[in-house]
Amino acid sequence: MSFFDKVYSEIGEYTRVEDAEEEVCELYSVYYSSNGSSRLDLVDPSKTELTVELTGGTKTLTLTIAQNPNINNELGQTGAVLWNSSIITSEYLARRSTHGWDFSTINAIELGSGCGLVSIAMHQLGARRVVATDQARMMKLLTRNTDCNRVVQLNRNRKPPTVLLATEYVWGRAPEDPRVFAEPVDMVVISDCVYHESVAPLLVRSLVDVCKSRSDVPVVVLVGQELRSDIVHAAFVAELLEHFDVYRVPVMPSVDTNYVLYAMWLRGSHSPEHTH
């Protein structure tokens, strides 16, 4: 069973998204009625380093993540500090690792990795290969965090070592680093990358490119997003629906009023032979 087959077998738990305006109306009616009172406060963007504990897996993962508040104050720069979404997404992945998602078989790419928490979490959960990507100005911080949180592998059982890479990938362009697509991709993840509707087309174009990098099995896309602007979210969902079959995934009641997680794959990429 491929990773896509496993995710698709859980589709009964998901809500199909077919119209951006209807989706936003449903999400934001709950969001505005809560008046932000249930918004979690999981991070501190003023610190240069945070200790993050991720629960939900077979063991608690304790990670040290460097931040750069100075870069984050620059116009248009949001990835140099952690956001709630990255922790919520990482903890969701940790929970799925105990409910049938075999990370040891997964080759994952993260777009817009920022500080790299989600990629590091997947690596720590045993993913076979993880490629964390972002723009050039983020590489120093991203590389520092991936290097500091890489699993030490003694390889006593002679299993192939797991891989965690950090490299540049500019949305809307083909990646220059050949390692990005060196192996077939199973999953691409993004977490809280859309703060303005103008970036949505470029990000979605890169999502499509990653998914088209293989044709034998559909690539699963996971998109985590904190709810802020209904206008921005509507534009992003509309762009996604142009290319993907989109499903909303329940996370947990304590975060579902302020955060949304989608699972999706390219339209037309799923056929009966992909499900066993």
Side-chain angles (χ1 to χ4, degrees), residues 8 26 62 81 84 89 91-92 123-124 162 164 168-169 196 205 238 264 270:
Y8 191 80
E26 181 175 345
T62 302
V81 298
N84 287 337
T89 302
E91 289 198 332
Y92 174 82
H123 172 66
Q124 291 273 346
T162 59
L164 176 61
E168 182 181 353
Y169 191 161
H196 193 276
R205 188 187 310 172
M264 63 195 77
H270 171 253

Side-chain angles (χ1 to χ4, degrees), residues 152-218:
V152 176
Q153 301 172 74
L154 301 177
N155 207 22
R156 290 171 178 166
N157 53 9
R158 300 191 177 183
K159 288 184 178 180
T162 59
V163 175
L164 176 61
L165 303 173
T167 190
E168 182 181 353
Y169 191 161
V170 179
W171 299 345
R173 305 179 191 173
E176 296 182 2
D177 190 336
R179 296 178 300 173
V180 173
F181 294 144
E183 296 188 25
V185 180
D186 300 293
M187 176 169 62
V188 54
V189 183
I190 67 170
S191 179
D192 221 4
C193 286
V194 179
Y195 290 82
H196 193 276
E197 59 267 32
S198 63
V199 306
L202 293 175
L203 175 55
V204 173
R205 188 187 310 172
S206 289
L207 286 175
V208 171
D209 288 345
V210 174
C211 291
K212 286 185 175 179
S213 68
R214 72 180 300 177
S215 58
D216 56 333
V217 176

Side-chain angles (χ1 to χ4, degrees), residues 30-49:
V30 176
Y31 172 77
Y32 287 126
S33 67
S34 71
N35 199 28
S37 59
S38 59
R39 187 176 295 278
L40 300 177
D41 186 15
L42 304 175
V43 295
D44 185 347
S46 67
K47 293 184 177 180
T48 58
E49 189 173 274

Side-chain angles (χ1 to χ4, degrees), residues 44-171:
D44 185 347
S46 67
K47 293 184 177 180
T48 58
E49 189 173 274
L50 292 177
T51 299
V52 178
E53 290 191 348
L54 301 177
T55 59
T58 56
K59 63 179 180 179
T60 297
L61 301 178
T62 302
L63 308 173
T64 300
I65 303 295
Q67 303 186 121
N68 191 333
N70 295 325
I71 293 180
N72 205 66
N73 290 330
E74 297 178 10
L75 183 63
Q77 182 64 49
T78 58
V81 298
L82 288 179
W83 297 88
N84 287 337
S85 178
S86 62
I87 294 179
I88 296 170
T89 302
S90 298
E91 289 198 332
Y92 174 82
L93 292 169
R95 289 194 299 275
R96 297 316 302 167
S97 71
T98 64
H99 290 82
W101 286 20
D102 182 3
F103 278 84
S104 69
T105 67
I106 294 174
N107 176 24
I109 292 177
E110 185 185 11
L111 300 182
S113 298
C115 297
L117 177 62
V118 176
S119 287
I120 292 166
M122 290 189 288
H123 172 66
Q124 291 273 346
L125 290 168
R128 180 174 59 82
R129 189 172 188 270
V130 180
V131 182
T133 71
D134 213 306
Q135 55 188 318
R137 67 193 309 183
M138 290 299 303
M139 281 301 102
K140 183 176 180 180
L141 181 63
L142 180 57
T143 301
R144 175 183 173 184
N145 282 327
T146 53
D147 286 348
C148 289
N149 291 281
R150 186 171 281 108
V151 174
V152 176
Q153 301 172 74
L154 301 177
N155 207 22
R156 290 171 178 166
N157 53 9
R158 300 191 177 183
K159 288 184 178 180
T162 59
V163 175
L164 176 61
L165 303 173
T167 190
E168 182 181 353
Y169 191 161
V170 179
W171 299 345

